[in-house]
């Protein structure tokens, strides 16, 4: 018998797009029923490529496929009274409303928290916006790029081997992912609160707030040392300039040779390994065992490591380093991860998802965590536009007959 997800029996109405879709995915994968409310023409995410077989199709966006697996899709014209009533009917059996509209927009539809909380006092209402519901920035326009700039992440990201290099933004929709994680956590916390207190609540998620608390070490270093971090190629930003630990190997691949967290045992093991190939040079000098002395000589240490790495394959270096308790790792390409038996077989990090309308199945990212009692599950492909309109209509008729 298939075990139930942690959120089995929880119904979530999602009215949103880029900022809500990842939170909705995290929750539906935990077992919740997520009903995605879309405008008649579909949400903008359906227009984001690439597309299946490189042909534009509202049901063929691979971007939409990924972020909306296992959800249901109903189309509603929220500009009309009929559409607004349809939303209310969905909320009548829902536990959570997850929305990503502009501040005040839901009030214009008569669907704001102040109104709905009176009708549905146990409703959890989560709004995700770029800058939150209050403050002078609440109606500012934003994108992933501008929010990474405003949130401080770009200030510590870039290259130290390019003269006068500008800050660089990481790719992959960071703001939506960060906000999605925090939103899912907040919603789960609100569900637990409702179980105890029997009351719903309003959750105001600002993507800007979420990004700011993820700037790692830049704010603490400024706060305590008045020091700016340096943008460094292939390495986290640090408050001082240090050489790279990114070396090319014999097989043409690169490896990260992390040289922090070195204690005496690790250093001795590293030097002995290098010496077994006659490549330790002067690192066997007793002075290198002193952390302070070694820190002043890291450029030379890295030069020795660079010579060593280029004479060996990346897999050998990585596995041997790990056996010596050194936290080194190869820099992986997508094809490497898809062929990694640790990910594919042991961790089930990728799963096959059927697309019955295409008569094919495709590989999707799998479980980000493994729970033995309330397992993560990817039940179905993303919904086609309005695929569940008839299902919701029939459910409405059944409820009206009770």
């Amino acid at each position: 018998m298939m075990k139930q997800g942690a959120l089995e029996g929880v119904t979530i109405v999602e009215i949103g797009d880029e900022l809500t879709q990842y939170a909705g995915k995290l929750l539906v994968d935990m077992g919740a029923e997520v009903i995605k409310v879309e405008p008649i023409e579909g949400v903008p995410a359906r227009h984001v490529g690439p597309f299946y077989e490189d042909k534009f199709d509202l049901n063929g966006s691979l971007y939409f496929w990924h972020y909306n697996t296992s959800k249901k899709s109903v189309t509603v014209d929220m500009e009309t009274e009929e559409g607004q009533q349809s939303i209310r009917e969905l909320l009548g059996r829902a536990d959570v409303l997850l929305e990503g509209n502009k501040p005040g927009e839901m009030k214009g539809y008569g669907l704001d928290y102040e109104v709905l909380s009176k009708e549905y006092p146990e409703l959890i209402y989560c709004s995700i916006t770029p800058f939150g519901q209050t403050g002078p920035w609440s109606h500012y326009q934003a994108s992933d790029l501008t929010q990474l700039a405003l949130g401080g992440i770009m200030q510590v990201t870039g290259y130290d081997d390019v003269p006068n290099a500008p800050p660089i933004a990481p790719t992959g929709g960071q703001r939506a992912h960060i906000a999605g994680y925090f939103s899912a956590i907040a919603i789960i916390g609100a569900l637990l609160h409702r179980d105890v207190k029997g009351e719903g609540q309003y959750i105001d998620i600002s993507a800007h707030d979420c990004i700011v608390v993820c700037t790692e070490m830049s704010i603490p270093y400024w706060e305590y040392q008045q020091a700016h971090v340096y943008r460094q190629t292939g390495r986290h930003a640090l408050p001082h300039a240090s050489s790279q630990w990114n070396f090319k190997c014999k097989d043409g691949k690169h490896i990260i040779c992390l040289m922090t967290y070195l204690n005496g045992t690790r250093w001795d093991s590293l030097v002995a390994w290098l010496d077994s190939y006659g490549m330790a040079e002067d690192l066997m000098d007793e002075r290198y065992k002193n952390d302070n002395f070694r820190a002043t000589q890291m450029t030379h240490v890295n030069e020795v490591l660079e010579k060593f790495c280029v004479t060996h394959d990346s897999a050998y270096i990585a596995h041997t380093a790990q056996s010596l308790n050194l936290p080194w790792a190869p820099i992986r390409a997508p094809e490497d991860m898809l062929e990694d038996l640790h990910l594919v077989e042991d961790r089930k990090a990728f799963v096959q998802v059927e697309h019955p309308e295409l008569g094919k199945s495709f590989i999707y990212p799998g479980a980000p965590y493994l729970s033995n009692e309330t397992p993560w599950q990817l039940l179905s492909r993303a919904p086609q536009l309005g695929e569940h309109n008839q299902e919701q209509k029939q459910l409405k008729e059944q409820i009206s007959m009770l």
Side-chain angles (χ1 to χ4, degrees):
M1 181 181 294
M2 182 178 292
K3 293 184 178 181
Q4 293 185 337
L7 298 183
E8 196 78 27
V10 172
T11 298
I12 298 169
V13 175
E14 178 190 336
I15 307 175
D17 195 32
E18 180 199 7
L19 289 181
T20 61
Q21 60 184 1
Y22 190 53
K25 174 178 171 57
L26 291 171
L27 296 166
V28 76
D29 290 344
M30 294 182 196
E33 176 190 32
V34 175
I35 303 170
K36 190 177 187 74
V37 176
E38 303 189 59
I40 304 302
E41 68 278 10
V43 292
R46 290 185 178 273
H47 294 258
V48 178
F51 295 91
Y52 175 63
E53 294 187 336
D54 291 329
K55 297 176 183 178
F56 173 74
D57 186 334
L58 289 176
N59 295 314
S61 165
L62 307 190
Y63 172 83
F64 184 86
W65 284 9
H66 168 64
Y67 288 105
N68 294 280
T69 48
S70 304
K71 298 179 185 178
K72 297 179 178 180
S73 169
V74 298
T75 52
V76 172
D77 184 355
M78 289 181 58
E79 301 286 343
T80 66
E81 290 186 9
E82 180 182 2
Q84 293 158 17
Q85 181 57 33
S86 295
I87 299 296
R88 290 175 180 275
E89 290 167 356
L90 286 173
L91 293 175
R93 64 180 187 85
D95 302 278
V96 179
L97 172 59
L98 172 63
E99 64 96 10
N101 294 278
K102 296 177 181 177
E105 187 174 349
M106 293 295 279
K107 185 174 184 179
Y109 301 134
L111 297 171
D112 54 306
Y113 178 70
E114 184 177 356
V115 170
L116 293 179
S117 62
K118 295 175 182 177
E119 297 182 42
Y120 312 110
E122 294 189 1
L123 178 68
I124 294 162
Y125 193 122
C126 180
S127 298
I128 312 177
T129 56
F131 298 103
Q133 300 293 313
T134 59
W137 290 11
S138 61
H139 284 81
Y140 273 22
Q141 298 297 308
S143 68
D144 189 58
L145 181 65
T146 58
Q147 294 221 259
L148 292 174
L150 282 169
I153 288 180
M154 283 181 65
Q155 176 62 25
V156 300
T157 309
Y159 303 93
D160 63 352
D161 55 354
V162 178
N164 301 313
I168 302 294
T171 59
Q174 298 287 324
R175 71 160 182 162
H177 286 103
I178 294 170
Y181 276 122
F182 282 114
S183 300
I185 293 169
I187 287 171
I188 292 171
L191 287 168
L192 291 172
H193 173 82
R194 191 192 63 175
D195 287 346
V196 175
K197 297 289 187 178
E199 61 187 14
Q201 62 180 289
Y202 183 70
I203 303 170
D204 176 7
I205 298 288
S206 160
H208 182 62
D209 296 352
C210 298
I211 291 170
V212 168
V213 299
C214 293
T215 51
E216 202 179 26
M217 62 185 78
S218 57
I219 292 178
Y221 269 108
W222 176 256
E223 187 68 22
Y224 294 111
Q225 301 183 33
Q226 282 69 58
H228 284 294
V229 297
Y230 285 79
R231 293 188 285 272
Q232 297 185 59
T233 310
R235 176 70 190 106
H236 292 303
L238 291 172
H240 56 79
S242 65
S243 299
Q244 299 173 33
W245 298 323
N246 175 353
F247 304 120
K248 190 173 184 178
C249 300
K250 184 179 179 180
D251 56 6
K253 298 183 179 182
H254 287 76
I255 191 164
I256 292 292
C257 300
L258 192 60
M259 296 299 290
T260 53
Y261 317 113
L262 279 175
N263 55 27
T265 301
R266 283 178 171 175
W267 176 255
D268 290 343
S269 298
L270 171 59
V271 173
W273 180 25
L274 297 175
D275 186 52
S276 69
Y277 287 93
M279 300 186 71
E281 299 189 16
D282 64 337
L283 299 190
M284 297 185 72
D285 188 314
E286 289 293 315
R287 292 179 298 172
Y288 281 97
K289 292 186 177 183
N290 181 277
D291 291 343
N292 293 328
F293 176 80
R294 190 169 62 246
T296 66
Q297 303 296 315
M298 283 309 299
T299 298
H300 172 61
V301 172
N302 288 344
E303 290 172 351
V304 175
L305 288 175
E306 186 174 18
K307 295 174 186 176
F308 178 73
C309 289
V310 79
T311 63
H312 297 85
D313 289 340
S314 57
Y316 165 73
I317 295 176
H319 289 300
T320 305
Q322 288 289 336
S323 73
L324 300 176
N325 204 26
L326 295 169
W328 296 9
I331 298 175
R332 310 293 292 279
E335 60 270 23
D336 296 326
M337 291 183 284
L338 290 172
E339 297 170 358
D340 184 346
L341 295 181
H342 173 75
L343 288 174
V344 176
E345 294 187 2
D346 297 330
R347 303 299 298 176
K348 308 300 182 186
F350 302 100
V351 295
Q352 292 279 347
V353 177
E354 294 288 337
H355 285 244
E357 75 285 355
L358 300 175
K360 295 182 179 180
S361 65
F362 301 93
I363 297 174
Y364 278 68
Y369 53 84
L370 301 177
S371 302
N372 66 328
E373 292 298 332
T374 54
W376 175 97
Q377 296 179 58
L378 200 164
L379 298 176
S380 64
R381 53 124 173 97
Q384 297 192 328
L385 181 60
E387 182 175 351
H388 300 89
N389 285 352
Q390 188 61 30
E391 174 187 302
Q392 296 304 313
K393 181 179 179 182
Q394 293 174 349
L395 183 59
K396 173 187 172 182
E397 292 174 350
Q398 293 172 5
I399 293 175
S400 66
M401 294 174 63
L402 296 178

